[in-house]
Amino acid sequence: MITGAHTVLYSADAEADRGFLRDVLGWPSVDAGGGWMIFAAPPAEVAVHPTDGAPASELMLMCDDLAATVAELAVKGVEFTKPVQELRWGRLTALRLPGGGEIGLYEPLHPTAHTP
């Protein structure tokens, strides 16, 4: 029935953010037509959390070793917007996309849905 998930990032500088996904993260892509690049993302999982505010969604990338990943990305010029937080469920930071957006990056300390 459902064969995958498609994430859309709205950006003030889509070309720069596409370059980030391609050149910095090394994600392969396909041209969906007319130069619209669609990137192959790593395995994903979906969590649903309660909120007292308005419903929202958030994109967070996952890694096995946050310190090593932050160091590797920093060498490539990636700007981190939040200090690393040690949380019950993982180690969390956030990075700035070239187009101005922000996405989370975390090392889960919980079992993941995409890893047996």
Side-chain angles (χ1 to χ4, degrees), residues 28-73:
S29 63
V30 296
D31 187 330
W36 286 95
M37 304 309 293
I38 298 178
F39 293 86
E45 57 188 28
V46 177
V48 180
H49 295 251
T51 183
D52 292 328
S57 55
E58 181 176 16
L59 174 63
M60 298 195 314
L61 302 178
M62 299 165 67
C63 63
D64 293 328
D65 182 335
L66 187 65
T69 302
V70 166
E72 182 179 343
L73 292 173

Side-chain angles (χ1 to χ4, degrees), residues 7-31:
T7 301
V8 178
L9 301 177
Y10 293 95
S11 173
D13 189 344
E15 283 301 317
D17 286 348
R18 289 178 191 129
F20 177 85
L21 297 176
R22 180 190 62 236
D23 302 333
V24 176
L25 298 184
W27 290 3
S29 63
V30 296
D31 187 330

